[in-house]
Structure formats: C-alpha cells, structure tokens
Amino acid sequence: MAWNEPGKPGQDPWGNSGGSSGKKDEPKEPKKRSDQDIDELLKKAQQMFGGAGSKFNGGIGGIGGGAIFLIVLVVWLLSGIYIVDTAERGVVTRFGALVTETGPGPHWHIPYPIESVTKVNVDRIRTTEIGYRSDAQNRSGSVLAESLMLTRDENIVDVRIAVQYRVQSAGDYLFNVKDPDESLRASSESAIREIVGKNSMDFVLTQGRNEVVALVRELTQKNLDDYEAGLFITSVNLQDAQPPEQVQSAFADVVKAREDRERLINEAEAYANRILPQARGQAARIVEEARAYRDQVVSRAEGQADRFTSVVTEYKKSPEIMRERLYLDTMSTVLSNTSKVLMGAEGSNNIMYLPLDKMMGSGTGSNQSTLPLSPITGTGQNSSNNSNNSQTTSTPANQAKSETNIRDYLRQRELR
Amino acid sequence: MKAVIGLFIAAVLFIGSNSLFVVNEWETGVVFRLGEIVKSDLEPGLHLKTPFINNARTFDRRIQTMDSQPERYLTGELKNLEVDSYVKWRVSNVERFYTAMGGDFALADQRLSQIVKDGLRAQFGNRTVKQVVSGDRVEVAENITRLANVEATQFGIEIVDVRIKRIDLPRDISDSVYRRMEAERNRVAADLRSLGAEAAERLRADADRQRTVTIAEAYREAEQTRGEGDGQAAQIYSKAYGADKEFFSFYQSLNAYQESFSNKSDMIILDPSTDFFKHFNRSSN
C-alpha cells in the first residue's frame, strides 16, 4: 500500500482537488491549540471529508479516507478508457463541444461529466429501400405508393431501388442533420422520381437503367453534401423497373408479339430454304435431261449416219443385189413378227368377211399397238390423265403437265 | 453544526449547477436576463451564467425536416396532382426564432408548411403536368425555396431545401393512364405482328419467284440445248444421206417398215401380186 504514504503527509499530488479542504484548514492551524472548539470542529470536518487533513488525527482513520478517495479517483479515471472498433470512429465531446475524432484502437478521454464519446460505425454498409421492403428472410413486399412514378410521357412505371451508403464523417453525421438516415431516404426518393420524370418510359425500362441509377446517385449525393449529412452513397441498385401490374399483360403481349414476328420470319425463311434448293435441283435436272437428249440425238445421228454411210459404200459396189437383199431381209423380219393374211383377191370382187376383232383379240397388248397412232395419248397412265385434263379445262399447271406429256411422247417417238 | 455545513454545501452545489450550463455540439445556446436575451449563438461547450438572474436555453441547430402529408394541387390545365414534398430547414437566427416562434419547432413546422403549400399552389398553377413532372421540378423547388425564405427569415429560419418527393396522378386518372398505356402496347404488339407477317410474306413470295425463275431459266437452257442437239443431228443426217438420195429413201423406208410392224398382233393383209411374192406366185402357178 505504497500509495498510502504520500497521502499521509498531505503532499500527494493526486490529492490536489481533495486538498481544497486542506487549504482551508491550514490558515486555521495556529489556532488549533488555543481554540479547542475550532479544533473539534475541524476534526468533525476531517471526518466528514475524509481528506488530507488526516495528519492531525494520525493513524487509521486518515488512511481509510485517503484510500477511498484514491480508489474513487482511479476508478473515475479508468472509466475514461474506451476502445474504438476497426469499423468505428469515436467522437469526443467536452461539455457537448466537439473535441476530436479518434480512430480504431484503445483511447482515453477525460471521464464523465467532462468529456463523453460517441462511437459511430463508419464502415458498415447501410441500406435503404425505396419502393419495397425486404424482411429478414429476404422476401420483399412492394410499397406501391413509393414505387409507382410518373415518366416524362405521362406513363407510370414501377421502380424499386436500393441505396447503399455508409457514414463518411462521424461528426457531420451526428451533429448536422436531424435524422440523417431518413434524410437520405427522402432525398433519394425525390431524386429517383426526378430522374424518372425526366425520361421516357421506354428509356427507364430498357437501355436507360444504368444511367438512371447513376444520376440518382449523383443527385442524392449532391443533396447530402449540401446538408453536410456526412453520408456517402456507395451504390444505388435498381432492383426492378417494370410497367405497373395493371398493364403487365399488355407489355408481356408486346414481348410475345416480338417473338411472333421473329417466328413468322423464321418460318418464311425455312420455307425459302426448303423450296429454293429443290427448285435448283429441279432446274439442274431439266438442264441435264436436255443435255442428255442433245448428246443422245447427236450420237444416234452419228451412228445412223455412219451406218448409212457404210451401207451406201457397199451399195455403190452392187446396187441391185444389195437392194434386193435388203428388201427381202426387211420383209422377212417384218413378216416373221406379225400375223399375216394372204389374199389372192386380185381380179375378183369377192367380199370376204374377216373376223378382225377376233384375230386382234387373240394378241395381247393390242391396245398398246394402237396407241402410237394417236399423237396425244402416251402410255396408258398418261392417257387417263389427259382425258381428265381435257374434261376439267385444266389449270395452267396441269396444262403445262399435259404439254410436257405431249413433248415426252413426241420425244419417245423420235427416239424409236 | 453538521446541518449548517450540509446546507452550505448544498447551496454551493445549487449555485454551481445554476451558474454552469452545457451547449451540445448540435445546439446553440441563448442566455436570458430576466426574460431578455442578452447572449445568443453560444458556441458548444461549457458556459457560465449568473444564477437566478440569468437563465439559458439551447436550441437544436441541425437541419430539420418538415415532411407534410401529400396534398392535391391543380396544374395550369386544371388537372389534379397529388404532391408530396418536404422542407429542410434550420434555425438561422435564434433570437428571432425565439421571439417569433417561441422556440417551438412544431409551430415552426406548421408555419413553414403553410408557406410552402401556398408557394407550391402558385407554382403548380402556372405549369402543365408535363412541365412539373419532367422539366421544372427543380425550378419549382428553387423558386419556392427562394420565396419561402423571404418569409422564413422573419422567423429566424433558413430554408435549406424544398424538395418535391412525389408527384402522382389521382387514382381515377391513374386508371385511365393504365388503360391508355395498355392500348398503346396493344398497338405496338399488333404492329409487330403485322410487320412479321409482312416480312414473312415477302420472303415467301421472293422464294416462290426465285423458284419459278430458276425453273424457267433451266427450261430455256434445256430447250436451247435440245435445239442444238436437233440441229447437229439434222446436219449429220443430211451430210450422210446426201451421198445417195434415192437409196436413202429406200433404206429409210425399210427401216420404217421394220419398226412399224414389230408387234405380233399387228396384222398385215397381203396381196400375192406384190413384188415380194413374185417368186411365190411363179412356183404356185
């Protein structure tokens, strides 16, 4: 208990404030022996104050008074220690007046009631929501009165933003504006409406989103700076920018219509992609067929011409024999392939009845044999087509078809 | 004796506490002497005054918010708008604020609200909805700030800022706005759809045209090619057959006979007097 000793002789430097009673005593010391009443009075005072005057009393009572005083003093002084968290700033005021701001770490201030400290979290990101409120489960409920706003073209849009901010200056935050957080809220609400009001609905809902947000931030920050509110907006997030619920379906329909347009165009493109290669193929076929025909005709002509040339060469050597032989060859070939009736009807007028139909009927494919006589009819199938066509005074396409048929038929004849 | 000392100490404490007062950082202090203001705009901190004769009061010097209820205002074209505004103000002259408002903040709010509403009414009456919504919002606010400040100064108040928070259409008008928006969207949707149909039809028609043209061109080429072949063939034939016209005719006829009568069912009725049977006849006779 070393600290008791300096207290004993009354020279304790800590006892300065307590020493005020001691000072009062000192001028009265000479009277101590002469006036017992006063001495007694002083003793009582010493007991009351428990202060540095204890040396007159000596001993135990003095030690007790000084100790209590010192304990109280130390406790009082220790109460001035405070710790500022990393995220915080301490604002120290002396009798209400701002003294200093302290950073993170342990600090000491003159204890109450002289100085006091207020800690403000300057790193925490605070959020205010406009147009909606989200609860702890992050479910958000809309506040239509806040979120519905007018655009320049007198449309109504539903805009929700979240403003994130932090305290920039703890002193300003505490002392300049009454309820700075609410001020920020009102200010940003005013700003978003101002910006939305300056722009068209389409702009706000589509490409203007980023710009709107940037302007809100700028405007609100400027406002807060004007108030010296000590707040700094870290970000403004556009949570939602939508047409109001009442017209959502119409807006959705526009999106659908846009898709429909794309779909129709795609379908048409698909159609084009389908028929054009087909047409090109068909065209190639037509051309190739024509080339084939040309080459065929020419080759045949060459063949026939060569054949004839060869025969002529031989014919020139002995015309009569050649002629006779050729004639007989042909006749035998022809006659061996056909039914024949020899009639020695020369000179007589006998009318013979020949059952031609029976004779014809015995041969199969009689129908076919007659067909080549008719230039219009081709194969059996085609002829039925053609008869149909002639009856129904055909569409141009059919006509073209029938023309093709005729042409095909003629071609076949030529080839034969 | 104890009681005397106790009283003495109590008196000291009482007087001490009455002669000291604290002005906080967010406040400003005023000292009165028997009701009369002797000192104002006291800085924050500890101050002294004479007990009993002087008394002190502190006033909030921070920026206050006067947020009034939304009100209806008529615009120049006689449309109603619901406007929610707020006023940021602070005490600028404590002496005057004390004399005019009795230092009562609620009363100040009320008075400011009247002034600002009046100002807003005048400003809105001169403008169209479009102007207040999009263009002149800031100008309106600035005008009111300026005008209201003239009156507010008399109360020892400075209006920092008047802001229009919300400008909304009344409910029934909102509904017709929604209907208009809907109609507008329907128009856009119809427009998009028919544009799509148009584009699709164009594409189809173009494809059809291309197809027709492609085939027609192919037909042209085909006919040209055929003609070419026919021509060449004719040339070849005439060159070869020109060697002996009479024989060609004979030879060709024979070929034709062979081709014509190639079917078993073909029937030929022959006269024995023909050249073919000249030997046939002779032997039978």
Side-chain angles (χ1 to χ4, degrees), chain A residues 39-200:
Chain A
D39 196 34
E40 224 175 273
L41 188 82
L42 280 171
K43 269 182 192 168
K44 276 172 187 164
Q46 280 162 12
Q47 274 168 0
M48 278 182 80
F49 287 110
S54 59
K55 65 173 175 182
F56 305 112
N57 237 1
I60 303 152
I63 290 168
I68 289 165
F69 173 78
L70 283 171
I71 288 168
V72 168
L73 186 72
V74 165
V75 167
W76 182 72
L77 288 172
L78 284 174
S79 76
I81 292 172
Y82 64 98
I83 290 168
V84 177
D85 199 77
T86 326
E88 294 174 334
R89 295 289 176 279
V91 179
V92 182
T93 49
R94 184 179 301 143
F95 295 117
L98 177 67
V99 180
T100 182
E101 274 185 40
T102 53
H107 298 276
W108 182 81
H109 70 88
I110 304 170
Y112 180 85
I114 299 164
E115 287 189 353
S116 70
V117 70
T118 314
K119 286 182 246 179
V120 178
N121 193 321
V122 293
D123 278 355
R124 204 186 78 219
I125 303 292
R126 298 149 199 244
T127 307
T128 185
E129 295 161 332
I130 291 164
Y132 72 106
R133 300 282 180 279
S134 53
D135 60 16
Q137 278 83 45
N138 214 13
R139 283 177 306 212
S140 54
S142 58
V143 184
L144 290 179
E146 275 178 20
S147 67
L148 294 178
M149 45 193 90
L150 278 172
T151 62
R152 191 185 60 203
D153 38 8
E154 282 185 57
N155 287 315
I156 295 169
V157 290
D158 188 340
V159 178
R160 292 157 199 205
I161 58 169
V163 181
Q164 296 188 347
Y165 63 100
R166 58 180 177 77
V167 176
Q168 192 174 30
S169 156
D172 286 350
Y173 178 74
L174 288 177
F175 304 129
N176 283 351
V177 180
K178 194 180 173 189
D179 200 350
D181 298 81
E182 189 52 39
S183 292
L184 175 129
R185 181 181 176 72
S187 187
S188 42
E189 195 184 337
S190 161
I192 179 79
R193 280 163 179 272
E194 187 177 327
I195 303 300
V196 167
K198 275 187 180 155
N199 290 294
S200 71

Side-chain angles (χ1 to χ4, degrees), chain A residues 241-260:
Chain A
Q242 295 253 346
E245 209 163 321
Q246 287 90 333
V247 295
Q248 281 277 4
S249 66
F251 272 77
D253 193 45
V254 170
V255 176
K256 274 189 244 160
R258 199 164 277 134
E259 296 303 316
D260 282 352

